[in-house]
Amino acid sequence: MLGTARPPRANLLEDLAPAALSAAERGDIGAAYDLARRALAVAESLPGGTHGDERRAAGLRALGTAERAAGRYVAAERAFRRSLEAIDRSLGPTSYEAAEVLNDLGMTLKYAGRFDEAEAAYMRAMAIIETDPAADLDDLASLLHNLGGLAHARGDNATAEPLARRAVELRTADAGPRDPTTLLDRSAHAAVLDGLGRSHEAEATIRDLIGDLTTALGEDHPEVAVALNNLAAIVQRRGNLAEAERLYRQVIAIRVARLGSDSSTLAVSLNNLGTVLRAQGRMEEAASNYREAVRLLEGAIDERHPHLQSIRRNLGRVGR
């Protein structure tokens, strides 16, 4: 038999790290975190050298993914940067594995409000993938999705739209129109369309997607919550405050059930619910939501992040 058998601990890591990533993707954050910590413990027990660094990089990436999904962006960034350091030593800074972790790091920096750093990480990843003749369409679609999401977060929907649309096209060709990743790309594209003022088109797309996302991922999956949140924003602007309130409360219930009541991922929905309550004249309830949103974000994201600044302005509007 050619080659050398890997130590049993390495084989265990190769099961644990992918399992952690899979758990994070399906929204089971508790399992993702537990599996990632176990993967990293196994990796740290391996001897040094190329193989050990490669395994540590995988464990650290799994841990970073779990931390990011839980809204712990500082811890996630630290794990991803350590993963990159291990990849640089074992596989090199232009390896495909480096591109994958750079994409993860870019997502984390975007959520933390550090948009320029996020863009730099995404572009480094793109440079690697675009020059690899064996590049995976799925990875390219993910980067386009993320670059579109970053432009959307900056309010530059004109730049975001072709990126998001291209991600949908690539993913549809690669995985099919009903694959969960394709559905998520379509949901992100709908949010961009809404930002461009094409709200009727966006609403129709999201309403169509929610049933498919629920079937594919489960009714309490975090990505279902994202779609519901985007739909709530559209109906809120139309003046349907009762439906918007119901949808925002559904979003918050999903996120609390999945991530707990102290996750920073709750903040935007709490702010949105507060805005609906304020429009109904329910000022004390609105102020309570704004205060909780500020508490969750302080220390978790950059002080200049537009979400945090917006929520503080909203709190000031209710005089609390």
Side-chain angles (χ1 to χ4, degrees), residues 254-310:
I254 292 171
R255 288 175 170 163
V256 168
R258 285 286 184 148
L259 304 173
S261 58
D262 282 330
S263 173
S264 61
T265 60
L266 289 169
V268 171
S269 294
L270 288 168
N271 175 63
N272 293 340
L273 177 58
T275 302
V276 170
L277 295 170
R278 191 179 84 221
Q280 295 172 326
R282 296 154 65 182
M283 298 303 182
E284 186 52 50
E285 291 177 78
S288 177
N289 278 274
Y290 293 146
R291 283 193 295 267
E292 180 64 7
V294 169
R295 183 187 74 80
L296 292 172
L297 288 182
E298 285 181 332
I301 64 174
D302 191 277
E303 281 289 313
R304 298 163 295 177
H305 196 294
H307 287 164
L308 183 54
Q309 292 179 353
S310 175

Side-chain angles (χ1 to χ4, degrees), residues 193-247:
L193 293 176
D194 184 42
L196 288 170
R198 296 160 62 180
S199 61
H200 289 285
E201 186 179 352
E203 180 180 358
T205 298
I206 295 171
R207 286 192 186 278
D208 179 58
L209 280 172
I210 286 172
D212 289 336
L213 282 170
T214 300
T215 300
L217 302 174
E219 63 182 11
D220 63 343
H221 193 280
E223 292 293 349
V224 174
V226 171
L228 290 169
N229 193 79
N230 292 341
L231 177 60
I234 293 172
V235 301
Q236 177 185 351
R237 286 198 306 277
R238 294 238 175 90
N240 190 343
L241 300 181
E243 184 179 9
E245 179 181 349
R246 177 183 63 79
L247 290 167

Side-chain angles (χ1 to χ4, degrees), residues 8-240:
R9 287 177 298 177
N11 293 335
L12 175 62
L13 176 60
E14 289 171 0
D15 291 334
L16 288 171
L21 295 173
S22 178
E25 288 175 359
R26 67 175 182 266
D28 190 348
I29 307 308
Y33 193 71
D34 178 62
L35 288 163
R37 291 297 294 266
R38 290 168 59 196
L40 185 56
V42 172
E44 296 289 12
S45 72
L46 295 173
T50 298
H51 180 66
D53 277 333
E54 189 177 343
R55 299 301 93 199
R56 274 184 281 280
L60 285 161
R61 183 189 178 202
L63 180 61
T65 301
E67 297 281 23
R68 184 185 63 223
R72 295 189 285 264
Y73 304 130
V74 173
E77 179 187 355
R78 184 165 56 246
F80 288 134
R81 290 196 185 280
R82 287 180 62 202
S83 180
L84 277 175
E85 290 170 0
I87 287 172
D88 285 351
R89 290 192 299 267
S90 59
L91 300 171
T94 60
S95 65
Y96 209 87
E97 290 79 2
E100 291 177 326
V101 179
L102 284 164
N103 183 44
D104 289 326
L105 178 61
M107 292 170 63
T108 303
L109 294 168
K110 177 224 169 183
Y111 293 149
R114 291 155 60 188
F115 295 158
D116 290 345
E117 293 173 77
E119 182 176 16
Y122 287 147
M123 295 310 293
R124 279 184 61 195
M126 184 67 80
I128 295 169
I129 287 178
E130 285 184 326
T131 57
D132 190 327
D136 192 325
L137 277 182
D138 181 69
D139 288 331
L140 181 56
S142 293
L143 271 170
L144 289 167
H145 174 116
N146 291 339
L147 282 165
L150 179 60
H152 177 62
R154 284 171 157 163
D156 185 2
N157 290 294
T159 297
E161 196 280 328
L163 293 166
R165 175 164 32 89
R166 183 59 177 151
V168 172
E169 292 167 352
L170 286 177
R171 198 92 71 178
T172 301
D174 183 54
R178 294 298 177 188
D179 186 84
T181 54
T182 306
L183 298 176
L184 297 181
D185 285 336
R186 289 181 60 205
S187 181
H189 185 229
V192 173
L193 293 176
D194 184 42
L196 288 170
R198 296 160 62 180
S199 61
H200 289 285
E201 186 179 352
E203 180 180 358
T205 298
I206 295 171
R207 286 192 186 278
D208 179 58
L209 280 172
I210 286 172
D212 289 336
L213 282 170
T214 300
T215 300
L217 302 174
E219 63 182 11
D220 63 343
H221 193 280
E223 292 293 349
V224 174
V226 171
L228 290 169
N229 193 79
N230 292 341
L231 177 60
I234 293 172
V235 301
Q236 177 185 351
R237 286 198 306 277
R238 294 238 175 90
N240 190 343

